[in-house]
Amino acid sequence: MTRQPPRKKTKEYSRIKIGLVLAFCFIFWGALWARALQVQVLQGEELAEQAQRQYFSQEKIMGKRGEIFDRQGRVLAQSVRSKSVYANPFLMDDIHAQAAELGRILDVDPDSIRVRLGRKSSFVWLDRKVSDRVAHEVVSADLPGVFIVDEHSRVYPQKHMLGQVLGFVGIDNTGLEGLERSLDKRLSGAEMVLVRQRDASGQRFSLMPRQPDQQVDGEDVHLTIDSRMQFHVEQALADAVEENNGQSGVAMVVHVPTGDILSWANYPFFNPNNYRASSPDIWRNRGATDLIEPGSTLKPFLVAAALEENVARGDSLYYCEQGQWRLGNNQIKDVREYGWLTVNRILRYSSNIGAAKVGMDLGAGTLHSYLTRLGLDQATGAQVPGQSRGLLRPPNTWSNMDLATISFGQGMATSFLQLARAYATLGNHGVYTDLNILQEQSSPVSSQQRVFSRGVSRDVLAMMRDSVERDGTGTRARISGIEVGGKTGTAQKASPQGGYSDEYVASFVGFLPAMDPEYMIMVLVDEPESPYYGGLVAAPAFQRIGGRLLSSQKGLGLRSLALDESSADRESFDRENDRFSVAPRQTRKVDTSSVPDLRGTPLRLAVESLIQAGIEPRLKGTGVKVREQNPSPGSSWDGEEKHITLKLCPGT
């Protein structure tokens, strides 16, 4: 007989099993809901951010920086694509091993890379703007979490040309010096946020701009600078500084009718492509930042103010004390022992004593008023950074000695740029003329703010012409074929210990042509060796620049250089110095139907006749007469633009 198990016990076991299963289910689902609560509610934001970092990364990319061009469209500064290396540490397998490999490729200390990769960030720069070879090695290494991105590098294709004026940018394409700094907002590209999406293995499969319609590239800028002229100006300035063993130099060419700065050179040169190789002292744009005592280059403004106020006339006589004049406890000296000089000759021979006496007659308040109206105590409108305001004390603080010294350009200070603006005003027939370096601001001066009358400006320009074309201090600035007007300057430098040192600043400012200026050229050489006079140091550089300008293809292209002289001017010219006489100018009509015969013609007459006929002259050689010409006489003009090359001979 078979024994039957008790049913009650079996039922009890079944109930236990069912209870355990139900309890397990309740616990499992409770755990799931608890985990869901933790993931979705308690840690939801943190985990979502981690997911974003793992599968998405945001990068801030700057648009391409705007380019800088000269007035002819030649590139002076441009941005080119370059490669940079960055990493996402969250996607890296072995940070220590990869840091060692990256250190080898990038030629960087691996420990510094490990420190950077240890930051809690999904974007870490490893190296910026690397070479193509380095970028290729990084890609070939196929390191997880290491990527290459395109950036822009700033390049200056003309190298040192206009270096201090252009300035340079930093690693993030932010302007640090020069025009790059002052125009940074215009040149800088906008910031754009890019989102990179990756799959589980870290491979990129989409690139989405967060703001696809945004204009990200910077604005291009066109300057008034002519790079061809800039090349010749820099060459002439370098020669002037080196030949006279000077410390530095500045030179500038300005188009007088518009105030356009056509060239602006600083020496020693500076290459913004490798700015780290130069010191901040070389980066400095001395023409805008440094203050100088203008010396005798201030005298034309003194004379103009005296004529304007009817304090003196061109033929007014002043006794120049035979070269030494004691004023109180101080002594003023001239280079030569002059006796009685007219105001014309005071400017021509650059007499400090004569200028001081004119200034004493004019008065401190009146002189100060004219100097401020010329802008010698305020920055110019040219958009270059770091402009100095100038040092010109209130006239009520001037002593008699202050008035005397300021009259010949000592005891006050101004910048090279401010002095250029003052001369542009004088050359523009007394109408206030500010300077500009941006082509968008270029236009004929229409300001009605007149500092000097047209007649006074013309009288002073004639005196400056005499300084060069007669027996004045600027004879080394003469250029065959055109009348030049100019003024030399030799200023003693102030000593840090007080008083004046035995170092000088030599300068020359001149106009082409003398009586109706088209161009103004300024040259300054700092601390030349003896002889340190402006007429010996700076005037020859002016002559080189002006000669090159006159013979260039477009040197006369901005405005017709009509050189005229009234009979009254000629009479005044002859009467002022009976040792010289100037014959009335001749005019010669040129038949433009064919190439005229100019062989044997005086150079000045040939140039004036060609210009009046709208024909562009090109000069070869030196001399005062035309020896040969090309095209030959009687031949037909080649093309619509008429130009002729004149070969010169010394002549008599």
Side-chain angles (χ1 to χ4, degrees):
M1 186 169 98
T2 306
R3 186 178 178 182
Q4 295 293 330
R7 293 184 177 180
K8 187 176 180 179
K9 197 177 227 179
T10 303
K11 289 181 179 180
E12 289 178 356
Y13 279 122
S14 297
R15 289 173 182 172
I16 291 173
K17 289 179 181 179
I18 292 173
L20 290 174
V21 170
L22 290 174
F24 176 79
C25 289
F26 279 117
I27 292 173
F28 177 76
W29 283 106
L32 286 178
W33 280 104
R35 180 59 176 166
L37 176 66
Q38 181 186 18
V39 171
Q40 295 293 331
V41 179
L42 301 180
Q43 295 181 329
E45 293 184 3
E46 180 183 353
L47 294 175
E49 185 178 346
Q50 289 181 8
Q52 288 286 339
R53 289 199 302 262
Q54 183 173 358
Y55 295 106
F56 297 93
S57 64
Q58 292 185 359
E59 299 175 16
K60 293 181 179 180
I61 304 298
M62 295 298 295
K64 181 181 178 183
R65 190 173 179 85
E67 298 184 340
I68 302 178
F69 301 90
D70 78 344
R71 67 185 304 115
Q72 304 298 337
R74 304 181 187 97
V75 179
L76 300 174
Q78 64 183 148
S79 294
V80 297
R81 290 190 178 275
S82 60
K83 305 291 185 181
S84 292
V85 185
Y86 74 96
N88 183 348
F90 297 105
L91 302 178
M92 302 181 76
D93 295 336
D94 187 342
I95 289 180
H96 292 280
Q98 290 186 217
E101 180 67 9
L102 288 168
R104 181 191 65 80
I105 296 174
L106 302 177
D107 194 21
V108 179
D109 182 12
D111 291 335
S112 67
I113 295 180
R114 292 190 191 97
V115 171
R116 277 179 277 173
L117 294 177
R119 301 170 185 167
K120 294 182 179 180
S121 174
S122 62
F123 187 93
V124 177
W125 284 117
L126 298 179
D127 203 354
R128 307 284 297 275
K129 300 175 182 178
V130 300
S131 65
D132 291 340
R133 179 188 62 79
V134 172
H136 177 72
E137 286 192 38
V138 171
V139 173
S140 301
D142 194 22
L143 301 173
V146 179
F147 306 97
I148 297 291
V149 66
D150 285 336
E151 285 197 288
H152 292 96
S153 295
R154 200 62 163 171
V155 176
Y156 303 90
Q158 309 299 335
K159 298 180 180 179
H160 67 70
M161 179 181 288
L162 207 69
Q164 287 89 344
V165 177
L166 290 174
F168 55 87
V169 300
I171 190 69
D172 291 312
N173 271 347
T174 300
L176 300 180
E177 291 288 342
L179 291 172
E180 294 279 23
R181 177 180 175 182
S182 61
L183 302 176
D184 189 59
K185 289 185 178 180
R186 293 180 55 181
L187 293 168
S188 292
E191 185 177 83
M192 183 174 67
V193 178
L194 298 181
V195 180
R196 294 183 182 274
Q197 188 176 8
R198 299 183 179 86
D199 60 16
S201 63
Q203 299 298 318
R204 186 181 68 185
F205 63 86
S206 70
L207 181 64
M208 301 173 291
R210 182 67 60 86
Q211 295 173 310
D213 297 330
Q214 183 180 0
Q215 177 64 39
V216 295
D217 288 345
E219 179 183 349
D220 292 340
V221 172
H222 292 259
L223 305 183
T224 59
I225 298 293
D226 186 296
S227 57
R228 290 183 180 175
M229 188 182 301
Q230 178 73 18
F231 172 81
H232 297 301
V233 172
E234 289 186 356
Q235 188 176 45
L237 178 64
D239 291 342
V241 175
E242 292 174 359
E243 289 170 3
N244 295 280
N245 295 315
Q247 294 297 313
S248 61
V250 187
M252 181 180 291
V253 178
V254 174
H255 181 231
V256 175
T258 60
D260 287 355
I261 300 174
L262 302 180
S263 69
W264 187 348
N266 288 269
Y267 186 86
F269 298 134
F270 155 65
N271 188 345
N273 289 304
N274 189 20
Y275 65 89
R276 292 186 181 88
S278 303
S279 67
D281 185 60
I282 302 297
W283 303 345
R284 190 171 77 249
N285 185 358
R286 298 175 183 272
T289 62
D290 290 11
L291 292 178
I292 58 170
E293 296 192 25
S296 295
T297 55
L298 194 76
K299 291 174 182 174
F301 309 122
L302 167 75
V303 171
L307 298 180
E308 194 71 47
E309 296 296 320
N310 294 317
V311 170
R313 301 190 309 272
D315 57 358
S316 298
L317 285 169
Y318 285 85
Y319 184 59
C320 295
E321 308 288 343
Q322 297 300 321
Q324 293 189 16
W325 183 40
R326 180 165 293 278
L327 183 61
N329 296 325
N330 301 284
Q331 193 172 56
I332 300 175
K333 295 182 180 180
D334 278 338
V335 176
R336 296 182 181 178
E337 298 178 356
Y338 298 119
W340 289 96
L341 290 179
T342 62
V343 170
N344 296 20
R345 294 188 180 185
I346 287 174
L347 189 59
R348 183 194 305 179
Y349 302 142
S350 198
S351 168
N352 289 341
I353 296 174
K357 290 190 173 184
V358 173
M360 299 288 282
D361 287 348
L362 184 62
T366 305
L367 178 58
H368 181 275
S369 173
Y370 277 95
L371 297 182
T372 55
R373 289 167 63 188
L374 288 165
L376 294 177
D377 64 339
Q378 55 188 292
T380 72
Q383 294 190 19
V384 292
Q387 291 192 53
S388 298
R389 289 179 54 86
L391 295 176
L392 186 62
R393 293 180 289 115
N396 58 1
T397 65
W398 295 8
S399 65
N400 284 337
M401 188 62 188
D402 291 332
L403 175 56
T405 56
I406 291 174
S407 297
F408 54 81
Q410 301 271 187
M412 61 161 292
T414 186
S415 72
F416 185 88
L417 194 59
Q418 291 165 339
L419 190 62
R421 174 176 57 185
Y423 268 96
T425 296
L426 180 63
N428 214 13
H429 308 294
V431 177
Y432 181 82
T433 305
D434 207 348
L435 303 182
N436 51 272
I437 200 168
L438 300 182
Q439 198 168 11
E440 64 199 41
Q441 299 175 342
S442 176
S443 61
V445 175
S446 58
S447 169
Q448 299 302 313
Q449 183 180 348
R450 181 170 287 280
V451 182
F452 304 117
S453 66
R454 179 177 289 271
V456 165
S457 299
R458 186 171 180 81
D459 289 342
V460 175
L461 291 175
M463 296 178 196
M464 294 174 65
R465 175 190 61 188
D466 295 351
S467 179
V468 176
E469 298 295 340
R470 290 194 171 187
D471 60 339
T473 58
T475 56
R476 296 200 176 193
R478 292 174 180 168
I479 301 174
S480 297
I482 194 170
E483 279 191 338
V484 173
K487 185 68 192 77
T488 58
T490 309
Q492 198 170 3
K493 296 185 69 174
S495 172
Q497 290 75 34
Y500 286 90
S501 66
D502 57 355
E503 297 171 341
Y504 292 82
V505 174
S507 57
F508 185 86
V509 188
F511 292 115
L512 294 175
M515 297 305 298
D516 190 16
E518 175 80 7
Y519 301 103
M520 182 200 69
I521 303 173
M522 289 183 61
V523 180
L524 179 147
V525 177
D526 190 19
E527 297 184 18
E529 289 186 352
S530 183
Y532 42 71
Y533 299 108
L536 300 177
V537 174
F542 169 94
Q543 194 262 0
R544 294 171 189 169
I545 296 170
R548 178 68 67 171
L549 180 63
L550 186 64
S551 62
S552 66
Q553 290 186 357
K554 296 184 179 180
L556 305 177
L558 295 179
R559 190 180 68 180
S560 174
L561 300 181
L563 304 180
D564 62 333
E565 185 181 47
S566 66
S567 58
D569 292 330
R570 290 196 299 272
E571 292 175 3
S572 174
F573 195 101
D574 296 337
R575 184 175 61 251
E576 198 276 330
N577 190 333
D578 56 8
R579 292 178 298 167
F580 293 86
S581 61
V582 178
R585 290 185 179 272
Q586 302 176 18
T587 58
R588 174 178 177 179
K589 292 184 178 180
V590 176
D591 182 6
T592 59
S593 60
S594 61
V595 178
D597 186 0
L598 299 173
R599 293 172 297 182
T601 304
L603 175 61
R604 182 171 295 178
L605 178 59
V607 170
E608 292 177 5
S609 302
L610 289 170
I611 292 174
Q612 291 174 2
I615 301 171
E616 179 185 325
R618 301 176 182 177
L619 308 181
K620 285 190 176 182
T622 58
V624 296
K625 283 189 177 182
V626 179
R627 183 183 63 189
E628 300 178 16
Q629 66 179 72
N630 185 26
S632 58
S635 59
S636 300
W637 295 107
D638 185 13
E640 295 182 0
E641 295 186 3
K642 299 178 181 180
H643 53 78
I644 186 170
T645 301
L646 306 178
K647 297 182 180 180
L648 311 179
C649 63
T652 57

